[in-house]
Structure formats: C-alpha cells, structure tokens
Amino acid sequence: MTTVGILGGGQLARMMALSGAPLGLRFLVMDTVADACAGQFAPLIVGDWRDEAALGEFASKVDVATFDFENVPAESAQWLADRVPVFPQPRALAIAQDRLAEKTLFRELDIPVPEFAAIATREDLDNAIAKLGTPCILKTRRLGYDGKGQFRIKTPADAAAAWEALGAQAVTVGLILEGFVAFERELSVVAVRGRDGEFRTWPLTENWHVDGVLSASLAPAKVDAALAQTAFAHAKKLAEALDYVGVFALELFCRDGVLLANELAPRVHNSGHWTIEGSETSQFQNHLRAVLGLPLGDTRMVGMACMLNWIGAMPDANAVLAEAGGHWHDYGKEPRSGRKVGHATLRADSAADLAATLERVGVALGREAQVAPVIASLRG
Ligand code: ATP
Ligand code: MG
Ligand code: MG
C-alpha cells in the first residue's frame, strides 16, 4: 500500500486524494489548520512546516511527498527531500515561489515576459516607474496568491500609496514592479512531466479573472493552433530546464497575438479543474502518476468544457446538476468572503451547446456576468 503525503490540505489536496482512490493509494495530508478541507478524506497532521517534529512524523509515514500549497518554505521541502522522494523537486518550488527568479528564468529561456524590475527601496520604485511607465503593478515577490500582495499603479502619483501599502514588505518577501499588460486574453498551459521526462499537456485553456481571482476557464481556448503550439513549447522548455516532475501550470497573457509569461504554478492548478470531467485523465490523477513514476494518462478531451469558480459561498447546485454535462464540486469549506469554496464544470459536445448551457446556468444562478465572457468567446 503506497501512501502519498501532501503538504497543504486545501481543495487541491482534496481533489488529488479523490482522484487517487481508484489507484488504491492512501494519503496523508499536513496543514497548519485543523479544518483543512482535504482532512475530510485523508488523515491530517496539523503542524507548522518549520516544526521538524511534525514534519518528521509526516516523513516517517509517507512513501512520496508532494504539495497542494506552493508556499511551503523551500528549506522545509528540502529537509523533507533528504528523507523521502519529493516531487516537484524543492529547486523548482524555490524558483516558482519567487516572481523575480521565475521571470529571470523565463527570460533566460527566451520565453517573453512583461517588463519587470526588482524593487528594494522607494527610490527604486520611482526609477522603475519612470522606466517601465504607467500603468504598472507592484507585487510582492513571494507569498502572493489570488491577486493578494499587489498594488496597481495607474499614474506616477500612485507611487506613494503603493509604497504605503507594500513598502514594508520590500525587506521581508521582496517586491517586483511589472509593466501592466493590456492583454486580449489570458491563457494557461496545464502540463505534466513524468519521472522519465515524458511530457504532456492538456488543451490550452482561456481564463477570466475578477479582482485578481480566477472566475472562469474554457477549454480548449479558441486560439489558432500555432499560438497553442508556442504556448506548449514554452511549457516544455520550462519543465525541462527545471527537470520538473508532476503537473504545473504556466499562466500567459496574449497581447497583439504574442504570448507573455505571467507565472508558473508548481502544482495542479485551478485552470485545470475542468480536466476532472473534461478529459481522459485529470490533472490530479496525472500528477499522482507522475510523482509515483507510473505511466501518464492520455490528456485528450472530448468536446468543450467550462469551469466556473464559486467564491465566498456556494450557489444552489440544482441548476448545474440538472444539466446533462453539469458537474458539481463543493469543497466542504466554511463560506468566507473571497474564499474559493467550490466550482462547477459544464461540458458539451460543441461550442454552441456549451454556450447555451452556460446561458441557462447563468440565468438560473443570477451569474450572467460570470458566464458572459465565456459565452462571448464561444460565439466569437
Ligand atoms: P494566482 O492565484 O494565479 O497564483 P497571483 O496572486 O499569483 O494569482 P498573478 O497571477 O500575478 O497573481 O495576478 C493575478 C491576475 O491579475 C492575473 O491573472 C491578471 O489577470 C492580473 N495581472 C497580474 N499581473 C498583471 C500584469 N502585469 N498585467 C496585467 N494584468 C496582470
Ligand atoms: Mg500565483
Ligand atoms: Mg496567477
């Protein structure tokens, strides 16, 4: 009996455990909080990653370890890797945790990126705003997620407010200034690389964010094949450079038909949740297969799929459950403003059918604004 250890016990760990059950796998989850939602399906160790006693107990009980949370300190990941196999490797995690290291690597690999500059002082910020121009975004280098730790600078006069909001973090987690990309669309490559180097991607996904949080995803993205091939080539180059093992997502902006890399998520990704019902093998199961050195599953999809995120509180399930291609995911979390508490995936055999399904669901749930950009893309 193989036990997979997962650091972080959120919905990603929960969906991983659910997808691993048919493979006969056992799971052990470690999180800092006792009500982590993966704990409803797997034994949970509650402890801080830096607590060697708790991490040691975790290590002693698992055959292999992986993450649902990308901000586990790289030193803790390395400490663990000295005891059990850990995938993705701590080095890949360390690079993906730091927006500056990540963007520097993209650039070294000739993967285009938005303009950026490292910021250590208020003077650096003023100089970088002068160089990059406005609008631009000041971001923490580490620990940001769901758009947290970001300040949008519309004019140079916003510099003081940006520094007021994030300046103190220049010495703790570091800061980076990025040029604001007026993109036509946001895309992501969700990909998997096995222990033997085999590389596969799911079809390219288009994503819509609201206030920096993912709201909806559509696969396959309606882009031309050459653009998708470029996106896949970027992802492959990155995975090989990092000797990456497992699933990851590469978030991309498309501006004037050119792809610019935003960030690398070293884990299964929200924009890949549609793969559970929309493709032959889900991102969760392929991540487990990769980490365990098992053959990777086929990533092809049938028809089209749209994922809608439920933020804050769950809507009524019935409108989705009533659809032939409707699938419901409730993460079993307490409602809280801004929190991802669940999602739905709608699947259909054609773009026209998917658009009609989304229209019905949007009206029934009063979520017309959430489905509107997806319907526009499907009908565009
Ligand atoms: P995630 O939850 O995806 O990890 P995050 O907190 O790491 O999010 P980003 O992905 O950097 O944050 O930004 C969140 C969203 O904000 C992006 O998906 C995009 O919509 C917008 N955004 C971020 N950076 C830029 C940029 N340089 N130009 C334009 N929009 C941006
Ligand atoms: Mg991120
Ligand atoms: Mg992001």
Side-chain angles (χ1 to χ4, degrees):
M1 186 68 74
T2 302
T3 300
V4 178
I6 310 176
L7 291 180
Q11 65 269 20
L12 303 180
R14 177 183 170 109
M15 288 185 268
M16 216 184 279
L18 289 169
S19 81
L23 295 176
L25 300 172
R26 297 274 173 103
F27 291 86
L28 178 66
V29 174
M30 181 168 171
D31 202 298
T32 54
V33 296
D35 68 345
C37 72
Q40 295 163 18
F41 290 100
L44 174 72
I45 292 179
V46 181
D48 189 274
W49 329 112
R50 290 193 170 82
D51 173 359
E52 286 188 6
L55 203 57
E57 184 196 348
F58 176 83
S60 71
K61 292 180 172 167
V62 304
D63 298 296
V64 58
T66 187
F67 309 92
D68 115 314
F69 179 61
E70 72 211 65
N71 289 318
V72 170
E75 316 81 71
S76 305
Q78 188 54 56
W79 190 88
L80 190 62
D82 292 339
R83 287 154 181 86
V84 286
V86 174
F87 298 109
Q89 301 87 327
R91 177 178 160 258
L93 195 70
I95 290 174
Q97 279 173 356
D98 179 351
R99 294 186 197 278
L100 184 65
E102 176 178 82
K103 289 203 160 63
T104 303
L105 176 66
F106 293 160
R107 205 173 247 175
E108 278 168 20
L109 295 174
D110 285 324
I111 299 171
V113 284
E115 280 199 279
F116 66 90
I119 305 294
T121 63
R122 173 66 207 271
E123 197 187 357
D124 286 350
L125 179 62
D126 291 332
N127 292 338
I129 291 174
K131 185 161 170 266
L132 269 58
T134 52
C136 52
I137 306 188
L138 185 63
K139 297 183 181 178
T140 57
R141 276 170 57 179
R142 298 168 179 280
L143 300 181
Y145 68 97
D146 286 347
K148 294 180 175 63
Q150 303 193 4
F151 193 100
R152 295 190 179 198
I153 297 172
K154 296 191 186 74
T155 73
D158 294 338
W163 193 252
E164 177 69 34
L166 297 176
Q169 299 190 58
V171 286
T172 52
V173 291
L175 298 174
I176 183 171
L177 187 76
E178 295 178 15
F180 185 86
V181 181
F183 51 78
E184 296 103 50
R185 50 174 89 215
E186 284 200 75
L187 302 162
S188 59
V189 181
V190 180
V192 59
R193 187 166 177 273
R195 282 203 199 181
D196 60 358
E198 186 182 355
F199 176 84
R200 296 185 182 205
T201 77
W202 282 266
L204 197 63
T205 301
E206 177 162 10
N207 303 306
W208 290 269
H209 291 79
V210 175
D211 298 330
V213 185
L214 186 66
S215 171
S217 295
L218 171 68
K222 294 209 8 188
V223 297
D224 61 63
L227 192 79
Q229 287 311 318
T230 303
F232 297 153
H234 290 338
K236 185 160 194 262
K237 201 161 28 165
L238 199 54
E240 283 169 1
L242 293 169
D243 195 20
Y244 195 93
V245 174
V247 166
F248 66 96
L250 175 62
E251 297 181 8
L252 299 158
F253 300 134
C254 181
R255 180 182 63 190
D256 302 327
V258 175
L259 295 171
L260 301 173
N262 175 35
E263 63 170 347
L264 163 71
R267 50 171 171 76
V268 288
H269 193 251
N270 198 167
S271 71
H273 289 0
W274 64 264
T275 62
I276 297 174
E277 295 91 5
S279 74
E280 191 70 33
T281 314
S282 78
Q283 62 165 349
F284 298 100
Q285 183 160 120
N286 255 350
H287 181 70
L288 293 169
R289 292 190 192 200
V291 161
L292 292 166
L294 300 171
L296 299 181
D298 200 312
T299 52
R300 85 188 130 171
M301 69 182 301
V302 178
M304 306 190 80
C306 170
M307 190 266 344
L308 301 172
N309 256 353
W310 307 135
I311 314 283
M314 295 297 292
D316 181 46
N318 288 1
V320 169
L321 296 178
E323 292 292 337
H327 304 276
W328 195 250
H329 294 262
D330 182 333
Y331 306 152
K333 289 174 157 183
E334 287 300 318
R336 190 196 297 158
S337 170
R339 191 180 211 194
K340 291 175 178 171
V341 290
H343 75 267
T345 295
L346 288 316
R347 225 204 47 74
D349 292 334
S350 70
D353 285 351
L354 186 56
T357 305
L358 288 171
E359 208 155 48
R360 283 192 298 273
V361 169
V363 169
L365 297 180
R367 303 261 176 169
E368 291 91 341
Q370 188 174 4
V371 299
V374 189
I375 293 173
S377 176
L378 286 165
R379 294 190 173 147

